[in-house]
Amino acid sequence: MKPGYKAIYEQYRRSIASGLLKPGDKVPSVRVLASELGVARKTVETAWAILVGEGYLVSHGARGTRVNPDLVLSEPSASDMAPQTLDEPPRIADVLRDHPGFLRPGIPSLDAFPYKKWLLLCGKAVRSMSPLEMTNPPLLGYAPLREAIAHYVNVSRGLSCTADQIFITSGYSNNLRLILNALTTVRDKVLFEDPGYYFGTQALKRAANNLHFVPVDHNGLNVDYLQQYHRDAQLVFVTPSHHSPLAVTLSLPRKQQLLAWASQHNSWIIEDDYDGEFHYTRKVLPSLKSLDTDDRVIYMGTFSKTVMPALRISYIVMPRATLAAFRETAELTESGQPVLTQKILAAFLGEGHFYKHLKKMRTLYSQRRKYVLDALEHVYPGLFTVEVSDGGMHITAFLRTSTQDIEVANIWQRHQLQVSPLSRWYNTPAKRYGLIIGYTNVRSQEEALALLQRPAEETRALLAANNVKASY
C-alpha cells in the first residue's frame, strides 16, 4: 500500500523530532521522493506544505528544502535513550568502540593525519577505476596492494614472503573467522593470552569450542605453562611485540621456545602485530614471524592503527602450506574487500607516503606518551605505577594499592575519559588492576593535565571511602 501525505508528514516529523534529521539537513526534492515512494507528486507536496507551515522545513526554491536551521529541539527523553545510568556504566565494548571521548586506546592521531595527500590519492583512484575493477573484487585482495604489503613487511618487519601469501581482510574479527575456518575443527584446542585483547577474547568465546587461556607475565606469554598444560593445542594467539594490554614484549628465549613447540607439534602461532610499527626507545623490534624458519607463524597486520580504523583493511600473511586451505575457505565465506579503498591504500604505500607518516607518528607518539606519563604522576602521585615499554599506542597504569579499577574507570568514563579497567581483560582469577590509557590524541602537556584533573576529586573520594591511602 502506497503511503498517503499523512504518513509521509508523520514520518518526517518524527525523524526531525528524534534528531535523526538535524537542523539544516537537506530533504529529498518532491520529484525524487515521489518517484522513490511511487506516489503522486501532489502527495509529497501536501506533506511538505504542512511541515513548512509548522516550521519543521524551510523551502529555498531551486536550492531545495531543508530542515529549519533555526529549529531548537529538546533533548531526547529518558525513554528514548539506551538504558544507562551513572550506576550502570557503559559496557567495555561500548567504551572501546562507540563512545566519543579522550584517552581511548587504539585510536591513531587524527589531528596529524595527512588529509590533503589522502584526498589527492582518493581522486586519483576514482578517476582510474576500470570497468573490471568495478565488478566483483578479488577474494584475496587487490593485487597491487598485496604486492605493496609484501614489500613493506619484508623491509620493515623482517618477513620473507611474496604477494601471493597476502590475504586482505576487513579487520580482526574477519581474521579470526578465516583462520579458525581454514585451519581448525570444532574439537581443536585454541589458546589465547590472559590477559588478552578484549574483543579477541569475546570473539573466540563464541567461535572456538575448545578455548583455553595462557598467563602472561613480564616476559610475555608463559610458554612453560603452555607446554605443561596445553602442548596439544592447534592454535595459539599472541601479541609478541607489544602485548595487549600489558605492553610487555615476548622475550627472545620465549620466542624461540614457542617456535620450537609449534614446529614439534605441527601447531600454528597467530602473531597479532597490531601496533608493532611504533617503537620509540630503540630500533623497531623484529616480528616473531621473522624468526620463523619452519613457516609455523601466521602473521596478522592492520592499518587501523597506522592509518585509520574506519579504513577497515587488515591482512594475513599465510604460510605456504596453508594457501589452499585459505583460498578454499575464502571461496565459501568471503566476497572480497572494496577495491576503491584498496587502490587508495596501495598508492599510499607504493608512493612512500605511508613510511613518511609512520616516521612522523613515532616521533609524535613518543612525545604524547610523555605528556600523559608526566601528567599522571603530577595529578596522581603515588597512586599508579607504569612499566614503560619501548613503544605502542597505550600505557597500562597499574593501581599500587587498590583493586578497584572498575570503579575508578567508571568515574573517569563519566568525565569522557574512555579508559578501560585492566581487570576486565582477564579470564582467570589471577589478575592485576589498573587503567588502560590511550595517549595518541593528547596534543599538549596542558591538555594532558586538564584531562587527568577532571576525575581527580571523585577518584580521591572513592579511594578515601575505601581506606586506600594515596598522596595527592
Side-chain angles (χ1 to χ4, degrees):
M1 182 178 178
K2 297 179 181 179
Y5 76 89
K6 286 186 178 180
I8 298 172
Y9 156 76
E10 289 173 355
Q11 178 61 53
Y12 272 83
R13 188 182 66 172
R14 281 197 300 269
S15 295
I16 295 169
S18 67
L20 191 60
L21 285 173
K22 297 176 175 58
D25 284 356
K26 192 173 183 180
V27 298
S29 69
V30 169
R31 179 181 58 81
V32 169
L33 188 58
S35 176
E36 182 70 22
L37 298 178
V39 300
R41 293 180 60 175
K42 186 66 174 177
T43 302
V44 178
E45 287 174 352
T46 302
W48 260 214
I50 298 172
L51 290 165
V52 169
E54 293 183 350
Y56 287 103
L57 300 181
V58 176
S59 176
H60 295 286
R63 292 182 297 161
T65 302
R66 297 180 181 272
V67 179
N68 188 345
D70 297 324
L71 196 62
V72 178
L73 300 174
S74 60
E75 293 293 325
S77 64
S79 60
D80 296 328
M81 303 287 284
Q84 177 179 311
T85 67
L86 295 182
D87 296 325
E88 185 181 349
R91 296 182 308 119
I92 185 173
D94 295 332
V95 170
L96 291 175
R97 279 186 171 159
D98 299 328
H99 281 218
F102 302 91
L103 306 183
R104 183 175 161 191
I107 303 297
S109 172
L110 302 179
D111 62 299
F113 183 76
Y115 291 98
K116 290 183 179 179
K117 180 59 64 178
W118 190 261
L119 180 60
L120 290 173
L121 295 177
C122 288
K124 182 178 178 181
V126 171
R127 290 190 295 270
S128 66
M129 285 288 284
S130 67
L132 180 60
E133 291 171 343
M134 297 170 72
T135 58
N136 294 331
L139 285 180
L140 300 185
Y142 180 60
L145 179 57
R146 297 173 74 191
E147 292 169 1
I149 290 174
H151 176 72
Y152 165 69
V153 295
N154 288 346
V155 171
S156 298
R157 305 301 294 132
L159 275 62
S160 179
C161 67
T162 56
D164 64 330
Q165 292 176 257
I166 305 297
F167 194 141
I168 308 297
T169 70
S170 65
Y172 187 88
S173 296
N174 191 193
N175 292 349
L176 294 192
R177 290 193 301 270
L178 276 169
I179 292 169
L180 291 175
N181 288 337
L183 301 180
T184 68
T185 67
V186 294
R187 295 183 299 275
D188 285 331
K189 182 182 289 187
V190 176
L191 305 181
F192 203 72
E193 298 169 314
D194 189 53
Y197 177 51
Y198 180 82
F199 290 112
T201 300
Q202 301 309 309
L204 285 174
K205 283 180 178 179
R206 290 162 174 78
N209 293 334
N210 194 5
L211 177 64
H212 299 266
F213 296 95
V214 179
V216 172
D217 58 27
H218 63 282
N219 285 319
L221 187 82
N222 188 331
V223 185
D224 287 334
Y225 182 97
L226 182 156
Q227 292 183 321
Q228 181 176 356
Y229 297 104
H230 302 298
R231 64 172 53 244
D232 58 335
Q234 176 70 4
L235 295 176
V236 56
F237 288 83
V238 293
T239 50
S241 294
H242 187 245
H243 176 262
S244 176
L246 296 182
V248 298
T249 299
L250 186 65
S251 67
L252 180 58
R254 287 193 179 179
K255 288 179 179 177
Q256 296 170 333
Q257 189 182 7
L258 185 62
L259 290 168
W261 163 80
S263 179
Q264 181 181 355
H265 295 276
N266 291 320
S267 301
W268 299 108
I269 302 167
I270 317 303
E271 177 180 9
D272 179 12
D273 199 25
Y274 68 103
D275 67 356
E277 291 85 357
F278 301 118
H279 279 262
Y280 317 131
T281 59
R282 63 188 187 206
K283 291 183 179 180
V284 176
L285 290 176
S287 65
L288 177 64
K289 178 66 177 174
S290 69
L291 306 175
D292 177 24
T293 57
D294 293 327
D295 213 16
R296 304 309 302 178
V297 176
I298 300 168
Y299 180 93
M300 300 196 318
T302 179
F303 294 100
S304 292
K305 305 295 187 294
T306 53
V307 181
M308 67 178 89
L311 195 63
R312 303 311 307 156
I313 294 182
S314 296
Y315 58 93
I316 296 172
V317 180
M318 304 171 287
R320 291 207 166 274
T322 68
L323 294 184
F326 273 104
R327 175 168 284 280
E328 180 181 348
T329 299
E331 290 171 349
L332 295 173
T333 65
E334 301 300 304
S335 58
Q337 308 308 317
V339 170
L340 180 57
T341 49
Q342 293 186 70
K343 280 176 68 81
I344 299 167
L345 183 58
F348 194 60
L349 269 71
E351 296 179 12
H353 310 300
F354 182 64
Y355 296 89
K356 294 178 182 177
H357 182 58
L358 284 184
K359 183 179 180 180
K360 178 182 177 182
M361 291 304 100
R362 290 186 187 114
T363 301
L364 185 68
Y365 291 172
S366 178
Q367 182 61 61
R368 292 185 172 186
R369 181 174 69 171
K370 188 175 187 303
Y371 291 155
V372 173
L373 288 172
D374 290 349
L376 197 66
E377 181 59 29
H378 179 79
V379 180
Y380 302 98
L383 179 59
F384 294 103
T385 180
V386 179
E387 299 166 1
V388 179
S389 64
D390 290 327
M393 298 173 69
H394 73 269
I395 60 173
T396 301
F398 300 97
L399 283 166
R400 290 178 184 267
T401 57
S402 174
T403 62
Q404 294 180 287
D405 61 351
I406 294 175
E407 293 85 348
V408 172
N410 290 345
I411 292 173
W412 287 41
Q413 289 161 16
R414 293 202 293 270
H415 290 272
Q416 287 74 55
L417 305 183
Q418 304 303 345
V419 299
S420 178
L422 174 62
S423 63
R424 287 274 183 88
W425 294 53
Y426 282 87
N427 292 276
T428 59
K431 299 180 180 182
R432 298 180 73 182
Y433 299 86
L435 301 178
I436 303 167
I437 304 172
Y439 52 76
T440 52
N441 284 282
V442 177
R443 293 168 294 181
S444 67
Q445 187 68 68
E446 292 74 20
E447 183 177 45
L449 287 167
L451 290 174
L452 293 183
Q453 285 284 4
R454 288 183 180 184
E457 185 175 344
E458 290 183 59
T459 302
R460 182 186 302 114
L462 170 72
L463 297 177
N466 290 274
N467 299 316
V468 177
K469 295 182 179 179
S471 60
Y472 284 88

